């Protein structure tokens, strides 16, 4: 009543006498208020918006100037003469594999959703692989954790949008009818027919031109670099000539011409136009046979593309229809719609991991980290992209493009070359990409753990650690500096103490069977290590020891956004309470459990309906700051003062700063997970492209904590495909003192890496809820205990 307005946050409200309060309320999402000191009054949300909306005839401007693709005249689309080469030749040139068609493309065509996988990734980093890699594979998604929240793309769909304008963008500080003169796209994935409409547009100041993104294979190296330079010059000239849309097209691949990788071409043009001061005057469209996965489209949009036309995917779908490869009554037209739907849902989910809700905001945002490209390539073609290690340059990218082209258009076309490569990137295939978990390593690990044979374990460890045979990881590039006089083994911490530093990783009951989950708990409790409930909750009957004294209670109880079964009883029966801010297999997303794995028992534990799929919101997506996290830590410490409080983070650039905040928020443990960890169900794009190796995240965390004098206040743990004592030794040297072992723990109990966890068909009873398959589970606590002591002994020897 005395004309004072008070804006209060979560910190608290000023003490004001109630009789002096004229009005109280809260500022709701999407609403605003304006205090106008000139008029001496407060304008509410409706009045503000009404005034703004009426300030210009916006609707009329849009009606007079905006052009929608669907309103353009139809353009006849026909297969061009330059595409007369066989489909198989073009597929080979763009690096298609049989595995991609069956495991990535087929699920999208049938379901309209992204392909799901399980058990993480154990293939080499792209820069370390001996097989030609697409440029897409050298990038990793960034994601929000703690300092800004991810978006829940499923439950908050109302605030998401796939629509975006294409064309010249004018001065943001002006308002004119010409600002609305753009081409409006309802979605970023264009069909061939829609692309032809865009190609032919020439009205209201909208003009389109097409530039070729090919290089001559006969010109010798550096043919690609010269072609890129010419492409950038042509793009700048086109903009100066008044073209408002430029299509970058790799159509026309033949025996003499290979495609420039679409991401490289798009980003090169995008950044060249920025340097020339021309970027806002043009929209970019990519017409390419290369993109076919969600991450491919996310990267192209993230590096400037306004729309993408994956013409080779559409031709592949038509060919699958001709061969009868489409399931049931599915036809090519419906399959194409499903593919577009799957890509758009997937791209929206990738964007939402950073809290971005519209494609327009995501375009050109470059929310990725490069892993394995040298600095010269980054600075010239992917400017401003974080990249903390070196790697390959344009010459290797060109050589790998030439290798793919040679497979499609090589001189010797024998029968074997007329089929697609097997692939083996998602599952182990004989003759395919190398996997660290393969029949040989799995067999040795299981034999060693079941027979308690340390010699056989060392054979397993040698196969994993022998990086001269197949480089896979960053830690494989590191060598130890040995001291001249080894320390006597008896002076090193005993194995019985080292194993207490081990944890099983967060594997939820539901993702794996009841038998496997309880066996992990029994084994770790016997030796003082820790098993983790995961975010699926835990049966309260397990909190009391059994008749033989064995405890089936997981020492680490996880608290995540799903909050399945998180009760006071659950929290007080924990030695550690872990706040999951992200998970290694799919950071920025919530847990995922297919409906056919939610039986009556799992439904009872999680307080959900049996048979209904469970996809959690992104972990704690309501935590906006370290202060919010500190409040949750405070609450958990109050409910269980004896438990250590963990905060689980995933490695990405800047994770050290977040870890420092976690320490200041009084957490007892910070866990830095790597990008390769397993999961019972996860989108394939997340398994392969989200997060970073733990080596980078852990090293950054250690250094930031030391620099800020915080290291002594917190325990640092790491996990993500740790397998041998050597892995643990590297983790120790980079700053970790505790270790999570999840996938390898399941393998000791019988897992054979079929990677079918999400299908509920695990034939060894580890990752299924099928009662008949669960009967096949033969794991024993002793197997895991034996392996843990092998690890500890191996680590002692290295130390």
């Amino acid at each position: 009543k005395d004309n004072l307005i008070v804006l209060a946050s979560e910190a608290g409200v000023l003490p004001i006498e109630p009789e002096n309060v004229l009005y109280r309320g809260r500022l709701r999402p999407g609403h605003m208020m304006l205090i106008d000191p000139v008029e001496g009054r407060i304008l509410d949300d409706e009045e503000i918006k009404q005034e703004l909306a009426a300030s210009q005839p916006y609707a009329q401007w849009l009606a007079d100037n905006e052009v929608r693709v669907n309103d353009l005249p139809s353009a006849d689309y026909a297969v061009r003469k330059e595409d007369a080469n066989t489909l198989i030749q073009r597929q080979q040139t763009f690096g298609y594999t049989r595995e991609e068609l069956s495991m990535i493309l087929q699920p999208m065509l049938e379901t309209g959703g992204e392909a799901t996988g399980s058990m993480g990734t154990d293939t080499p980093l792209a820069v370390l692989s001996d097989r030609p890699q697409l440029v897409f594979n050298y990038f990793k998604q960034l994601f929000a954790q703690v300092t800004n929240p991810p978006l829940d793309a499923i439950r908050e769909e109302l605030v998401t949008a796939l629509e975006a304008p294409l064309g010249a963008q004018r001065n943001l500080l002006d308002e004119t009818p010409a600002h609305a003169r753009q081409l409006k796209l309802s979605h970023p994935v264009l069909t061939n027919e829609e692309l032809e409409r865009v190609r032919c547009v020439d009205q209201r100041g909208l003009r389109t031109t097409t530039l070729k993104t090919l290089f001559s294979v006969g010109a010798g190296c550096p043919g690609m670099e010269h072609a890129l330079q010419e492409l950038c010059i042509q793009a700048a000239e086109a903009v100066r000539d008044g073209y408002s849309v430029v299509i970058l097209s790799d159509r026309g691949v033949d025996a003499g011409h290979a495609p420039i990788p679409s991401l490289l071409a798009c980003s090169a043009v995008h950044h060249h136009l920025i340097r020339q001061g021309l970027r806002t005057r043009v929209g970019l469209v990519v017409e390419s046979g290369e993109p076919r996965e969600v991450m491919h489209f996310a990267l192209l949009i993230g590096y400037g593309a306004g729309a993408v036309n994956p013409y080779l995917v559409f031709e592949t779908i038509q060919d699958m229809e001709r061969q009868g490869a489409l399931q049931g009554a599915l036809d090519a037209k419906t399959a194409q719609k499903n593919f577009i739907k799957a890509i758009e849902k997937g791209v929206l989910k990738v964007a939402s991991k950073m809290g971005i809700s519209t494609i327009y905001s995501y375009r050109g945002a470059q929310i990725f980290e490069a892993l394995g490209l040298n600095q010269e390539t980054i600075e010239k073609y992917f400017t401003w992209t974080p990249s903390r290690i070196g790697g390959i340059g344009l010459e290797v990218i060109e050589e790998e493009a030439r290798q793919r082209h040679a497979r499609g258009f090589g001189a010797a076309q024998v029968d074997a070359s007329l089929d697609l490569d097997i692939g083996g990137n998602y599952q182990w295939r004989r003759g395919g990409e190398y996997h660290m978990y393969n029949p040989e390593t799995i067999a040795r690990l299981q034999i060693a753990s079941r027979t308690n044979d340390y010699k056989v374990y060392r054979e397993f460890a040698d196969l994993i650690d022998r990086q001269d045979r197949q480089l896979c990881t960053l830690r494989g590039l590191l060598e130890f500096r040995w001291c001249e006089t080894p320390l006597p083994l008896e002076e090193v911490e005993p194995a019985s103490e080292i194993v207490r530093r081990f944890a099983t990783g967060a594997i939820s009951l539901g993702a794996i069977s009841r038998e496997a989950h309880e066996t992990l708990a029994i084994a770790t409790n016997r030796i003082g290590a820790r098993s983790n409930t995961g975010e699926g909750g835990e049966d309260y009957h397990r909190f009391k020891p059994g008749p033989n004294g064995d405890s089936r209670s997981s020492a680490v109880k996880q608290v995540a956004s799903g909050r399945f079964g998180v009760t006071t009883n659950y929290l007080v029966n924990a030695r550690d309470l872990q706040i999951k801010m992200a998970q290694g297999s799919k950071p920025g997303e919530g847990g995922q459990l297919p409906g056919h794995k939610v039986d009556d028992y799992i439904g009872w534990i999680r307080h959900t309906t049996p048979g209904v799929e469970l996809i959690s919101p992104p972990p704690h997506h309501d935590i906006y700051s370290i202060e919010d996290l500190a409040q949750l830590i405070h609450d958990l410490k109050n409910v269980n003062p004896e438990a250590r409080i963990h905060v689980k983070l995933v490695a990405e650039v800047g994770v050290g700063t977040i870890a420092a905040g976690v320490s200041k928020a009084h957490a007892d443990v910070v866990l830095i997970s790597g990008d390769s960890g397993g999961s019972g169900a996860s989108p394939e794009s997340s398994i392969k492209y989200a997060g970073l190796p733990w080596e980078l995240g852990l090293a950054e965390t250690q250094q930031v904590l030391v620099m800020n004098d915080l290291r002594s206040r917190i325990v640092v743990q790491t996990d993500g495909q740790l397998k041998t004592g050597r892995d643990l030794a590297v983790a120790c040297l980079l700053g970790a003192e505790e270790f999570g072992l999840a996938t390898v723990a399941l393998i000791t109990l019988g897992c054979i890496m079929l990677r079918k966890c999400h299908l509920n068909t695990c034939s060894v009873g580890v990752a299924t809820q099928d009662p008949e398959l669960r009967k096949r589970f033969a794991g024993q606590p002793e197997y895991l205990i034996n392996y843990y002591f092998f690890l500890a002994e191996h680590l002692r020897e290295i130390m």
Side-chain angles (χ1 to χ4, degrees):
K1 293 176 182 178
D2 57 5
N3 293 325
L4 178 69
I5 185 165
V6 178
L7 180 66
S9 71
E10 68 273 10
V13 184
L14 294 176
I16 296 173
E17 296 300 324
E19 58 271 15
N20 193 33
V21 175
L22 180 66
Y23 175 80
R24 66 165 60 87
R26 68 184 184 91
L27 201 58
R28 292 180 290 164
H31 285 230
M32 63 182 96
M33 62 184 294
L34 173 66
I35 304 164
D36 191 330
V38 175
E39 293 191 23
R41 67 189 186 93
I42 299 171
L43 282 67
D44 63 17
D45 181 76
E46 187 176 347
E47 185 177 359
I48 298 168
K49 291 176 178 175
Q50 194 67 36
E51 184 177 317
L52 289 172
S55 63
Q56 300 283 3
Y58 299 114
Q60 191 62 45
W61 288 358
L62 287 171
D64 293 342
N65 292 279
E66 187 179 68
V67 178
R68 290 183 173 269
V69 172
N70 294 336
D71 295 335
L72 292 172
S74 295
D76 292 332
Y77 169 74
V79 177
R80 291 173 176 74
K81 185 177 179 180
E82 64 261 33
D83 286 342
N85 302 297
T86 65
L87 175 63
I88 191 76
Q89 285 178 306
R90 295 197 302 280
Q91 288 175 329
Q92 289 171 330
T93 299
F94 286 108
Y96 277 58
T97 66
R98 279 184 279 162
E99 182 183 53
E100 285 179 330
L101 297 186
S102 63
M103 293 190 62
I104 303 300
L105 190 57
Q106 191 90 35
M108 288 196 283
L109 305 185
E110 293 174 3
T111 67
E114 191 176 352
T116 302
S118 52
M119 294 307 288
T121 179
D122 59 345
T123 52
L125 296 173
V127 69
L128 300 178
S129 173
D130 59 4
R131 298 165 68 88
Q133 299 288 317
L134 302 179
V135 174
F136 300 119
N137 298 346
Y138 292 92
F139 291 83
K140 297 284 190 174
Q141 302 166 12
L142 299 182
F143 48 92
Q145 51 182 345
V146 183
T147 51
N148 63 305
L151 185 77
D152 184 352
I154 296 174
R155 296 163 185 84
E156 297 174 297
E157 186 180 14
L158 187 65
V159 298
T160 65
L162 291 166
E163 285 190 334
L166 191 66
Q169 302 172 50
R170 300 179 185 273
N171 188 348
L172 286 173
L173 302 179
D174 287 339
E175 287 187 309
T176 70
H179 279 67
R181 194 167 296 138
Q182 290 194 321
L183 190 62
K184 190 66 171 291
L185 305 179
S186 58
H187 50 76
V189 183
L190 297 180
T191 65
N192 294 337
E193 199 272 339
E194 287 172 332
L195 180 66
E196 291 310 305
R197 293 186 181 199
V198 174
R199 198 192 308 274
C200 298
V201 70
D202 187 2
Q203 58 175 285
R204 302 181 188 175
L206 291 169
R207 296 172 62 208
T208 302
T209 187
T210 301
L211 303 178
K212 291 294 185 183
T213 58
L214 303 172
F215 70 96
S216 173
V217 293
C221 295
M224 183 185 287
E225 184 174 11
H226 292 156
L228 274 171
Q229 291 173 351
E230 183 63 25
L231 175 66
C232 291
I233 292 171
Q234 290 175 358
E237 289 176 351
V239 177
R240 292 189 181 100
D241 289 343
Y243 289 101
S244 56
V245 177
V246 170
I247 299 173
L248 305 176
S249 175
D250 58 27
R251 280 190 180 273
V253 169
D254 57 24
H257 296 88
I260 300 172
S262 56
L263 179 61
L264 179 62
C266 179
S267 187
V269 170
H270 174 69
H271 282 291
H272 179 75
L273 293 177
I274 290 174
R275 295 186 187 102
Q276 296 293 311
L278 301 171
R279 183 62 185 91
T280 58
R281 291 164 56 180
V282 69
L284 297 180
V285 176
V286 174
E287 179 186 20
S288 176
E290 189 178 29
R292 60 262 196 187
E293 297 185 35
V294 166
M295 181 64 168
H296 300 173
F297 290 84
L299 277 162
L300 287 169
I301 296 169
Y303 282 95
V308 182
N309 167 242
Y311 65 86
L312 192 55
V313 169
F314 300 147
E315 292 178 36
T316 300
I317 292 172
Q318 292 171 348
D319 183 67
M320 293 171 72
E321 182 183 46
R322 285 192 295 268
Q323 295 184 14
L326 299 180
Q327 298 295 319
L330 188 66
D331 59 14
K333 186 176 181 180
T334 305
Q336 179 174 296
K337 287 183 179 178
N338 285 345
F339 173 79
I340 293 173
K341 179 181 177 182
I343 292 297
E344 290 172 349
K345 285 170 60 179
V347 170
L348 201 57
K349 176 175 272 194
V350 174
S352 71
K353 292 180 182 183
M354 280 297 285
I356 294 175
S357 60
T358 70
I359 290 296
Y360 195 26
S361 298
Y362 193 68
R363 185 194 301 171
Q366 299 189 185
I367 306 176
F368 306 96
E369 178 165 351
L371 194 66
L373 297 178
N374 65 27
Q375 201 57 41
E376 180 184 358
T377 303
I378 292 293
E379 289 177 359
K380 188 170 184 179
Y381 301 111
F382 301 100
T383 318
W384 307 311
T385 301
S387 177
R388 292 178 292 165
I389 62 173
I392 68 167
L394 203 60
E395 64 283 353
V396 176
I397 294 174
E398 178 175 349
E399 176 57 32
E400 294 191 337
R402 287 176 179 272
Q403 289 179 25
R404 289 190 293 271
H405 179 268
R407 183 172 175 85
F409 292 93
Q413 286 293 321
V414 296
D415 288 346
S417 69
L418 297 177
D419 197 4
L420 294 179
D421 184 83
I422 185 67
N425 200 35
Y426 295 93
Q427 286 186 328
W428 180 85
R429 314 272 183 180
R430 191 177 302 279
E433 180 63 273
Y434 181 80
H435 284 254
M436 287 186 282
Y437 284 128
N438 55 60
E440 190 176 10
T441 56
I442 290 173
R444 278 178 166 75
L445 176 57
Q446 291 183 343
I447 292 170
S449 60
R450 293 178 186 187
T451 61
N452 197 20
D453 190 331
Y454 183 66
K455 181 180 177 182
V456 178
Y457 159 78
R458 287 308 300 262
E459 292 174 3
F460 158 77
D462 289 343
L463 288 173
I464 296 293
D465 296 337
R466 199 171 66 199
Q467 297 283 340
D468 60 324
R469 185 174 95 163
Q470 175 63 62
L471 285 171
C472 292
T473 60
L474 293 180
R475 57 188 177 275
L477 298 169
L478 304 177
E479 294 182 359
F480 295 128
R481 290 188 297 193
W482 304 101
C483 62
E484 293 182 5
T485 305
L487 193 69
L489 201 58
E490 56 271 16
E491 293 187 22
V492 181
E493 188 173 292
S496 59
E497 292 300 314
I498 291 176
V499 295
R500 293 177 177 273
R501 301 177 180 271
F502 297 165
T504 62
I507 313 171
S508 69
L509 177 56
I512 62 175
S513 66
R514 178 178 179 178
E515 292 77 9
H517 204 267
E518 293 184 4
T519 302
L520 290 172
I522 291 169
T524 50
N525 286 334
R526 283 183 185 177
I527 60 175
R530 294 173 170 86
S531 65
N532 192 315
T533 60
E535 69 168 278
E538 191 169 69
D539 185 347
Y540 66 84
H541 295 102
R542 290 168 54 173
F543 297 163
K544 292 183 179 180
N548 64 350
D550 274 334
S551 173
R552 296 175 295 145
S553 177
S554 298
V556 183
K557 303 283 196 288
Q558 195 175 71
V559 180
S561 58
R563 294 186 172 84
F564 298 118
V566 178
T567 63
T568 303
N569 192 27
Y570 174 84
L571 296 174
V572 299
N573 281 282
R575 287 162 53 195
D576 290 33
L577 291 172
Q578 184 178 86
I579 301 169
K580 180 168 77 169
M581 291 306 308
Q583 55 182 327
S585 60
K586 46 181 180 291
E589 299 177 53
Q592 185 171 335
L593 188 65
H596 50 249
K597 296 185 77 170
V598 186
D599 61 13
D600 291 340
Y601 181 66
I602 301 302
W604 171 72
I605 290 175
R606 297 192 177 212
H607 303 279
T608 61
T609 304
V612 176
E613 183 176 29
L614 301 174
I615 300 182
S616 304
H620 299 291
H621 68 303
D622 52 350
I623 286 181
Y624 284 67
S625 65
I626 289 294
E627 288 76 20
D628 290 343
L629 181 62
Q631 181 64 52
L632 180 54
I633 292 170
H634 173 79
D635 293 343
L636 292 177
K637 283 180 177 289
N638 274 285
V639 78
N640 188 346
E642 303 300 319
R644 299 190 309 174
I645 308 300
H646 289 218
V647 175
K648 181 178 182 179
L649 306 174
V650 174
E652 65 174 330
V653 61
V655 73
T657 301
I658 300 171
V662 167
S663 175
K664 293 176 181 179
H666 303 295
D668 303 296
V669 184
V670 61
L671 167 58
I672 307 297
S673 281
D675 63 339
S676 55
S679 175
S682 177
E684 290 285 12
S685 66
S686 296
I687 292 175
K688 289 293 183 181
Y689 297 111
L692 292 174
W694 57 259
E695 296 95 320
L696 289 173
L698 178 60
E700 180 185 338
T701 295
Q702 169 73 7
Q703 292 166 34
V704 172
L705 289 174
V706 169
M707 281 192 294
N708 288 276
D709 197 24
L710 296 169
R711 184 61 183 88
S712 61
R713 291 171 48 171
I714 197 165
V715 171
V716 177
Q717 187 179 119
T718 195
D719 69 17
Q721 295 283 359
L722 298 171
K723 301 175 182 68
T724 70
R726 185 186 187 280
D727 291 345
L728 269 56
V730 173
C732 280
L733 293 169
L734 293 179
E737 57 214 281
E738 293 186 359
F739 317 94
L741 303 141
T743 302
V744 71
L746 295 181
I747 290 177
T748 65
L749 298 183
C751 169
I752 52 177
M753 292 296 281
L754 294 175
R755 300 183 186 272
K756 293 183 178 180
C757 313
H758 55 293
L759 301 178
N760 204 33
T761 57
C762 176
S763 60
V764 291
V766 172
T768 178
Q769 304 306 323
D770 186 306
E772 292 304 314
L773 293 176
R774 283 169 51 196
K775 293 176 183 177
R776 301 183 185 181
F777 179 77
Q780 297 296 325
E782 290 77 13
Y783 301 165
L784 181 58
I785 292 171
N786 291 340
Y787 167 69
Y788 274 0
F789 275 93
F790 292 157
L791 269 185
E793 196 58 41
H794 191 187
L795 177 58
R796 293 180 75 234
E797 293 173 3
I798 293 173
M799 292 167 65

